[in-house]
Amino acid sequence: MKNANHHQEDKLASFLKTNAPIAPAGTKAQEVLCKNLIFKESFLNPWLFPILATVSLITASLLFLVLSEENHKIPSANEVSSSKILYETFIANKESNNIDELYVDWDLLAENI
Amino acid sequence: MGAIKSLVRKYKPTHKDHEHFNEIAFTHFYRTHNQHIRNVLFRLGVEDELDDLVQTTFIKAWKNIDQIIQSEHIKSWLSKIAVHSAYDFFRKNKKFKLVDCEPEMLEKPSRPNRDDKDLALEALNKLSFDHRTVIVLCFIEEYTLQETAEILELPIGTVKSRLARAKHAIQTYLEDMGVTL
């Protein structure tokens, strides 16, 4: 009886195995989509936000420093030397009593100091 | 699969383009098991949503690929993920009767003289999800009772009783359709 049941079970299994439905084949597009969902997702990994935040903070700090420097600009070597020449010329003219040359363009001097 | 996994592990920390390497490994993994997973899901009654559930299965599998210890278990492990994905899907969408049913509940056939493939599919369609799953896993995919119990996370006794009832239901249906086994 047990053997007959086994035999029947084998026949049923064989019938189902032979006639089992077969799924339609997948497409290349589905494979690509699946890959993208797995591998492109890593772009939005948990490190992305902290990295972007740090980069933004550093950029903002550098920008602030550059702008601060602009406001407290130290005169360049050329500007210093031209002021110096102007001042020395004035002193020299004064010492030689060259009145005509005593005129000093104070605006120009002020700009260069 | 064991070879792929060991290659991924070996190269991942040092390989300059490990992401690309992983993609190659995944492609191999996907192409090797795609049709098997499609068949399992299709035989469980997933039709319109087949592509979505195949995708879900592979994404879950790849995220947990480290769980695989022995490569010979990869097929049953993937089947387990597929079966559970299908179960979740049917439960959410209420498209399937998930509880056991008596053979008497099966509709009597109305049109005899159909092709064996149609009859096999119809017989499967008449079963509940639980019964259909054991039939698909044990008879069609040829997993052992032990493997089926592990896939379904059920005691082996439950699998045996479900199989016996499902078998009886299918046999009754096929006999009514004039199929002699």
Side-chain angles (χ1 to χ4, degrees):
Chain A
M1 183 64 189
K2 205 172 180 179
N3 274 347
N5 275 347
H6 249 286
H7 188 60
Q8 190 70 10
E9 188 174 308
D10 286 348
K11 277 187 165 180
L12 180 63
S14 168
F15 175 83
L16 290 173
K17 176 87 185 157
T18 312
N19 297 298
I22 294 166
T27 62
K28 180 78 184 164
Q30 283 150 11
E31 182 186 314
V32 171
L33 180 65
C34 199
K35 261 197 283 189
N36 285 348
L37 284 169
I38 291 172
F39 295 102
K40 305 297 173 197
E41 191 195 48
S42 60
F43 176 73
L44 296 170
N45 67 35
W47 290 103
L48 185 69
F49 181 73
I51 289 169
L52 282 179
T54 311
V55 169
S56 308
L57 198 66
I58 291 169
T59 312
S61 305
L62 286 174
L63 203 62
F64 177 76
L65 281 175
V66 168
L67 291 175
S68 304
E69 285 296 313
E70 282 290 328
N71 289 338
H72 300 94
K73 197 177 174 186
I74 298 165
S76 68
N78 272 347
E79 286 167 343
V80 171
S81 61
S82 59
S83 305
K84 198 179 169 190
I85 291 164
L86 206 60
Y87 179 71
E88 281 170 356
T89 311
F90 169 70
I91 295 297
N93 286 336
K94 194 184 173 193
E95 281 173 357
S96 63
N97 289 324
N98 188 353
I99 302 300
D100 296 336
E101 298 295 330
L102 270 179
Y103 171 75
V104 171
D105 187 345
W106 291 106
D107 292 336
L108 185 65
L109 185 63
E111 271 179 26
N112 285 295
I113 290 174
Chain B
M1 186 55 216
I4 295 172
K5 197 182 162 194
S6 62
L7 281 173
V8 170
R9 280 186 177 158
K10 186 179 170 189
Y11 283 91
K12 201 170 180 177
T14 53
H15 200 285
K16 279 182 186 170
D17 196 5
H18 67 261
E19 202 65 21
H20 178 61
F21 186 83
N22 274 352
E23 273 192 54
I24 293 169
F26 175 78
T27 305
H28 180 79
F29 172 68
Y30 183 92
R31 288 181 186 168
T32 307
H33 300 286
N34 183 34
Q35 194 56 42
H36 166 67
I37 293 304
R38 293 183 76 80
N39 282 340
V40 169
L41 288 166
F42 192 66
R43 287 162 183 169
L44 291 177
V46 180
E47 289 176 6
D48 297 340
E49 301 79 9
L50 183 63
D51 293 337
D52 289 345
L53 284 188
V54 168
Q55 192 176 285
T56 306
T57 303
F58 275 101
I59 291 172
K60 279 185 193 170
W62 193 251
K63 281 182 178 170
N64 298 294
I65 197 79
D66 288 341
Q67 285 179 9
I68 285 292
I69 299 161
Q70 289 164 304
S71 56
E72 60 266 29
H73 293 156
I74 185 79
K75 218 173 152 188
S76 60
W77 180 72
L78 268 174
S79 297
K80 183 177 182 173
I81 298 173
V83 169
H84 286 270
S85 300
Y87 184 83
D88 288 345
F89 170 76
F90 286 130
R91 194 182 50 189
K92 273 184 201 163
N93 293 277
K94 294 176 182 166
K95 281 191 175 180
F96 217 105
K97 47 186 187 300
L98 294 169
V99 292
D100 294 354
C101 63
E102 297 298 325
E104 292 73 32
M105 288 167 65
L106 301 181
E107 284 174 30
K108 294 293 174 198
S110 55
R111 279 192 305 130
N113 303 325
R114 265 165 286 183
D115 155 273
D116 280 353
K117 285 192 187 299
D118 292 338
L119 288 173
L121 180 60
E122 281 171 22
L124 287 173
N125 284 341
K126 301 292 177 191
L127 299 175
S128 68
F129 183 79
D130 289 344
H131 283 165
R132 186 173 183 151
T133 309
V134 288
I135 287 284
V136 168
L137 294 176
C138 289
F139 284 180
I140 302 176
E141 301 300 332
E142 296 180 321
Y143 288 113
T144 62
L145 285 171
Q146 184 61 45
E147 286 171 330
T148 305
E150 282 165 15
I151 289 171
L152 299 176
E153 295 176 339
L154 289 172
I156 199 161
T158 310
V159 174
K160 278 183 187 172
S161 66
R162 280 187 188 178
L163 187 63
R165 293 174 78 182
K167 204 171 65 185
H168 178 59
I170 286 198
Q171 267 171 345
T172 309
Y173 181 81
L174 291 176
E175 278 167 17
D176 286 345
M177 293 301 289
V179 177
T180 45
L181 295 172

